[in-house]
Amino acid sequence: MVKIGDIELPDFPLLLAPMEDVSDPPFRALCKEQGADVVYTEFISSEGLIRDAAKSTMKLDIYEKERPVGIQIFGANLDSMLKSVEIVEKSNPDIIDINFGCPVKKVVSKGAGAGILKDIDLMVSLTEAMVKHTKLPVTVKTRLGWDENTIKIVEVAERLQDVGCASIAIHGRTRAQMYKGEADWHPIAAVKNNPRMHIPVFGNGDVNSPEKAMLMRDKFGLDGAMIGRASIGYPWFFREVKHFFETGTHLAKPTMDERIDAARRHLQMSIDWKGERLGVFETRRHYTNYFKGIPHFKEYRQRLVTTDDSEGVFKVLDEVYEKFGDYQFV
Ligand SMILES: Cc1cc2nc3c(=O)[nH]c(=O)nc-3n(C[C@H](O)[C@H](O)[C@H](O)COP(=O)(O)O)c2cc1C
């Protein structure tokens, strides 16, 4: 069994990665239904939270049905991070996660996200202060290092553990790599193989097939997999991995009925949660994957991602079902 603080998880849990504009409550709920064991919000700015920026506070919403859920925050200022811990606690999440991995310039230039990989002492002291400031488990998501010459993740992970971090998820790329090349899981395995490590070490980066998840478990010996891009528009990825672990065989792909149902519910939950305009807009990025592989689908995809009102999108989904309802996905 794997534990994050007191939260008991099955062996080799599958975690839905925090993803900006993707890991919102509707999508997290769909992933949870399909077997995700822990889900995370997208990153939330600590500075935004303490300014009470509406966009930031809305990201704190969670549904009961998605638990256990972690709220991820980022920042580099101790005071702001501690104040945001207090704000986040009011949403009653199960976990508070710190983003020490975001590579984008506007975050890094303020010393936050992966920017903190240039100041490991600050990374450790911020984590320690946050752990002391809350009763919730505090977890960290980070990258291997700033660049290939500064990979000290074994030492960093041990220091984070020693100040009370409850688990660590490591993306097998450096900040300099951004999303390029392949994720390297060897340094993550080195973290896990450190005999002093006792908190769960989760691997992240390029888990895009059940076989790869199995490799992460059996060859690299990690405690669980955090899954990002493979789940976008494809929440069934979680159940496919679990089925493969249990049986060694591949589960049949979701049927058109399931896909249409998921797309409809996704859209409906999104509108209920963030309103018609944003709900329609932010569900768009999922449709390509929901219906990936259907020949001659271009026209419908185009309409799904350009129709501005939900009624119109629901109608296109009806048409898709009428035209392609019998399509067999392989
Ligand atoms: C659209 C998108 C948004 C992301 N937003 C976040 C974020 O808010 N917080 C974070 O820690 N990582 C974020 N990431 C990184 C992912 O959590 C993950 O580390 C990365 O995609 C590698 O995993 P994967 O290969 O399974 O996708 C984001 C990635 C994508 C593709």
Side-chain angles (χ1 to χ4, degrees):
M1 190 207 294
V2 173
K3 278 177 93 177
I4 301 179
D6 290 331
I7 305 168
E8 296 183 355
L9 300 169
D11 274 342
F12 203 76
L14 303 180
L15 292 70
L16 171 66
M19 286 185 284
E20 187 177 19
D21 294 335
V22 176
S23 309
D24 57 11
F27 182 61
R28 298 197 304 260
L30 290 168
C31 291
K32 172 82 188 183
E33 281 173 24
Q34 298 302 332
D37 296 296
V38 183
V39 298
Y40 289 89
T41 67
E42 66 178 277
F43 69 165
I44 307 175
S45 156
S46 54
E47 304 297 337
L49 276 180
I50 59 175
R51 274 201 323 270
D52 197 25
K55 209 173 162 219
S56 298
T57 47
M58 192 177 174
K59 293 177 187 168
L60 295 173
D61 290 350
I62 51 184
Y63 299 136
E64 277 308 304
K65 60 185 170 190
E66 56 175 302
R67 290 183 186 282
V69 56
I71 290 182
Q72 189 190 63
I73 53 177
F74 72 96
N77 177 282
L78 176 63
D79 203 36
S80 310
M81 288 297 263
L82 293 182
K83 280 192 188 126
S84 40
V85 164
E86 291 163 21
I87 298 167
V88 165
E89 276 181 331
K90 293 191 187 121
S91 290
N92 196 22
D94 303 284
I95 295 164
I96 296 182
D97 186 67
I98 321 174
N99 177 317
F100 287 146
C102 177
V104 304
K105 226 181 205 156
K106 71 170 194 255
V107 173
V108 166
S109 63
K110 296 195 177 103
I116 208 148
L117 289 165
K118 284 184 156 178
D119 188 348
I120 303 297
D121 287 342
L122 178 62
M123 182 183 191
V124 173
S125 63
L126 266 183
T127 306
E128 180 171 26
M130 289 171 67
V131 168
K132 286 187 174 147
H133 207 62
T134 179
K135 290 203 167 56
L136 291 171
V138 173
T139 62
V140 162
K141 176 165 180 281
T142 188
R143 289 188 173 230
L144 298 179
W146 179 258
D147 59 26
E148 60 181 336
N149 303 316
T150 56
I151 297 180
K152 292 187 219 129
I153 191 65
V154 173
E155 175 198 328
V156 170
E158 190 177 316
R159 289 182 65 187
L160 292 171
Q161 168 183 272
D162 289 350
V163 296
C165 174
S167 73
I168 182 162
I170 305 168
H171 179 181
R173 289 186 175 85
T174 62
R175 190 274 167 175
Q177 279 177 293
M178 305 295 280
Y179 286 90
K180 289 192 288 278
E182 258 180 58
D184 182 0
W185 299 345
H186 291 93
I188 314 176
V191 171
K192 175 67 196 166
N193 289 334
N194 173 359
R196 283 209 64 243
M197 280 310 271
H198 54 80
I199 58 170
V201 178
F202 300 122
N204 172 240
D206 302 349
V207 179
N208 51 17
S209 67
E211 285 84 351
K212 277 209 177 172
M214 191 172 259
L215 206 63
M216 190 175 256
R217 184 186 71 173
D218 297 345
K219 179 163 176 230
F220 288 82
L222 303 183
D223 292 308
M226 179 178 268
I227 291 156
R229 288 166 294 180
S231 69
I232 301 179
Y234 202 74
W236 304 281
F237 187 71
F238 295 96
R239 77 173 186 197
E240 288 181 0
V241 172
K242 292 206 159 169
H243 180 87
F244 189 71
F245 282 177
E246 278 159 25
T247 65
T249 62
H250 286 276
L251 190 66
K253 295 281 170 202
T255 61
M256 189 55 125
D257 277 49
E258 287 179 291
R259 290 168 195 250
I260 291 281
D261 181 58
R264 286 181 146 279
R265 289 174 53 226
H266 196 159
L267 178 57
Q268 190 59 56
M269 285 192 279
S270 296
I271 301 166
D272 292 346
W273 178 57
K274 47 192 155 188
E276 168 79 11
R277 201 183 64 82
L278 267 184
V280 167
F281 183 73
E282 288 186 3
T283 315
R284 284 180 179 167
R285 70 172 63 217
H286 294 266
Y287 295 127
T288 303
N289 280 358
Y290 275 144
F291 302 112
K292 199 173 181 171
I294 304 178
H296 312 299
F297 193 72
K298 204 169 162 201
E299 175 212 325
Y300 292 88
R301 184 172 54 237
Q302 194 60 22
R303 285 170 59 205
L304 284 171
V305 300
T306 51
T307 304
D308 284 332
D309 62 304
S310 60
E311 208 188 317
V313 180
F314 281 125
K315 269 199 194 130
V316 182
L317 289 171
D318 287 344
E319 281 181 50
V320 168
Y321 189 65
E322 253 171 53
K323 186 156 170 68
F324 301 102
D326 295 331
Y327 183 73
Q328 302 288 322
F329 290 87
V330 280

